[in-house]
Amino acid sequence: MAEPEAGVDACQRLMEETVRIFRETYPACEPTIAVAAPGRVNMIGEHTDYNQGFVLPMALPLVTVVVGCKSTDGVISLLTTAKEADEPKRLEFPAPSEANPLSPGLPRWANYVKGVIQHYRASPLPGFKAVMASNVPLGGGLSSSASLEVAMYTFLQQICPDDGDLVEKALTCQKAEHTFASMPCGIMDQFISVMGRKDHALLIDCRSLEVTPVPLIDPNLVVLITNSNVRHTLTGSEYPTRRQQCMEAAKALGKESLRDVCMADLEAAKTCLEAEVYCRARHVISEIKRTTEAADALKARNYWEFGKLMVQSHNSLRDDYEVSCRELDELVAAAMDGEGVYGSRMTGGGFGGCTVTLVDAAAVEKTIQRIKDRYSGTATFYITKPSNGARVLKL
């Protein structure tokens, strides 16, 4: 069986557990604020966001929760409940000022939070105490980092309100990840965590930041996430290399980004590019086209067409972009080898993490069992649906 759907009840339970931990950690204080921000699964459009292309993610019921209150001593006190986080799990430092800005350092988990605090768009920030908890799997390609960043920003909005600009909120969280976590991510993860909409995927134009909601409400349709439980870390890995190769290809073609390049342009310049750079560009250009076609197919409820594009996306990520791995390929192959499965692909940065599968509701349990039987590792399954973005919770 799959994990029970992580919906409203799971979020409520997570918040209640976080409140309990807050009271144990700070017995002299009572929490007054609780917020949540979701992780995401990207249905299609991988490694296109930093190439100013299109992506089609949906926000998940899996969330990061932040619970806390203001303090009067000018000190920020943070506690993470994540078992995987490096020590120390609790950290204290003065609220930032122009004369005393925050800087990245150890523990690594705190950089995602400190970056948001440093770049927050209203001031002066008071001191505060906060406890953070999440049911978004770390390293699973479901954007646990953006979920944490957006949750922290949403918390700060409650103690020191900004102007409420949602686009700027997402961009600030992205800036935090760039500058404090040294991860040159695109805008998709933070954007969908802020903007997520129940019962819809969002087609996001990563150049204009225009958003088109795409309904995903058919009760006979299931989005199945399968976690390979192969942990991946993108910082200091192949991700920055791929991004650099895309920039190199665009520059060689005289374009600002690969968004401006069509396949005919790429083929005409093939002899001018290194073979590896050519393949990286071929993935991105074809993936941008696939993503807009997939959004049209989903709007038309043409699930077989959508699924075909998902498989093409996975093959391109495996062969041209080389960010898949044996475990992800196994999961996709096992998912596709049965009735009622429209499509399956790796999702996220790659080198482990999760696959996303579009499947008929009547076939989901057989699909899960087949994957369990054939996968060489131990997978975790989530039957999920599109959910809302960041929000304030009622204590």
Side-chain angles (χ1 to χ4, degrees), residues 58-61 197-201 216-217 223 384-388:
M58 68 180 214
L60 293 172
R197 183 167 166 180
K198 185 180 179 182
D199 295 330
H200 292 77
L216 193 52
I217 55 176
V223 177
T384 189
K385 62 175 70 173
S387 300
N388 285 321

Side-chain angles (χ1 to χ4, degrees), residues 8-164:
V8 175
D9 290 344
C11 180
Q12 179 70 21
R13 287 194 299 271
L14 183 65
M15 184 195 74
E16 290 170 357
E17 175 64 10
T18 310
V19 167
R20 184 189 66 76
I21 294 169
F22 182 93
R23 287 171 174 156
E24 285 181 359
T25 307
Y26 306 107
C29 304
E30 182 65 14
T32 58
I33 300 161
V35 301
R40 64 96 187 96
V41 65
N42 191 23
M43 300 297 291
I44 193 167
E46 220 66 72
H47 291 278
T48 52
D49 58 347
Y50 55 81
N51 288 289
Q52 299 186 359
F54 291 88
V55 291
L56 189 67
M58 68 180 214
L60 293 172
L62 301 164
V63 296
T64 297
V65 166
V66 179
V67 167
C69 64
K70 279 187 188 182
S71 60
T72 57
D73 56 7
V75 173
I76 293 172
S77 181
L78 303 171
L79 172 69
T80 178
T81 64
K83 293 177 183 176
E84 302 92 339
D86 51 328
E87 295 288 347
K89 300 280 176 61
R90 184 174 172 183
L91 196 65
E92 291 193 346
F93 50 87
S97 63
E98 280 192 30
N100 187 29
L102 301 183
S103 57
L106 296 175
R108 289 182 298 275
W109 65 264
N111 288 331
Y112 297 93
V113 181
K114 288 163 69 178
V116 172
I117 295 168
Q118 177 59 40
H119 295 306
Y120 185 65
R121 299 177 57 251
S123 63
L125 273 174
F128 63 86
K129 295 174 171 59
V131 176
M132 294 157 287
S134 185
N135 55 23
V136 185
L138 292 180
L142 300 181
S143 199
S144 56
S145 58
S147 174
L148 174 59
E149 292 153 6
V150 173
M152 177 50 62
Y153 195 106
T154 307
F155 178 86
L156 298 180
Q157 287 178 302
Q158 311 315 305
I159 62 172
C160 182
D162 68 351
D163 60 10

Side-chain angles (χ1 to χ4, degrees), residues 313-387:
S313 170
H314 180 81
N315 293 343
S316 180
L317 287 159
R318 180 192 65 205
D319 300 334
D320 275 350
Y321 223 63
E322 295 185 282
V323 292
S324 187
C325 61
R326 175 182 57 81
E327 294 88 351
L328 293 174
D329 295 342
E330 278 184 12
L331 292 175
V332 169
M336 292 304 300
D337 192 21
E339 294 181 2
V341 177
Y342 299 107
S344 185
R345 59 184 289 277
M346 61 155 279
T347 186
F351 306 105
C354 293
T355 61
V356 57
T357 303
L358 196 67
V359 57
D360 189 277
V364 68
E365 291 303 336
K366 283 187 177 179
T367 302
I368 289 170
Q369 189 58 52
R370 184 170 64 252
I371 294 171
K372 282 183 177 180
D373 292 343
R374 298 190 186 184
Y375 180 46
S376 59
T378 302
T380 308
F381 302 88
Y382 302 91
I383 297 171
T384 189
K385 62 175 70 173
S387 300

Side-chain angles (χ1 to χ4, degrees), residues 272-348:
C272 304
L273 299 171
E274 292 181 13
E276 197 171 74
V277 171
Y278 164 80
C279 288
R280 305 298 188 247
R282 183 168 63 181
H283 163 71
V284 171
I285 295 164
S286 63
E287 185 79 347
I288 290 172
K289 184 171 183 287
R290 274 191 293 271
T291 303
T292 56
E293 290 175 352
D296 289 340
L298 199 55
K299 287 176 193 172
R301 297 196 175 194
N302 187 346
Y303 305 137
W304 290 113
E305 177 64 19
F306 188 93
K308 182 181 78 172
L309 293 163
M310 290 177 78
V311 173
Q312 289 176 3
S313 170
H314 180 81
N315 293 343
S316 180
L317 287 159
R318 180 192 65 205
D319 300 334
D320 275 350
Y321 223 63
E322 295 185 282
V323 292
S324 187
C325 61
R326 175 182 57 81
E327 294 88 351
L328 293 174
D329 295 342
E330 278 184 12
L331 292 175
V332 169
M336 292 304 300
D337 192 21
E339 294 181 2
V341 177
Y342 299 107
S344 185
R345 59 184 289 277
M346 61 155 279
T347 186

Side-chain angles (χ1 to χ4, degrees), residues 221-243:
L221 197 65
V222 164
V223 177
L224 174 66
I225 297 171
T226 306
N227 192 345
S228 68
N229 289 310
V230 177
R231 184 87 183 272
H232 71 122
T233 304
L234 291 178
T235 302
S237 74
E238 297 285 343
Y239 184 101
T241 303
R242 296 298 186 282
R243 186 164 185 157

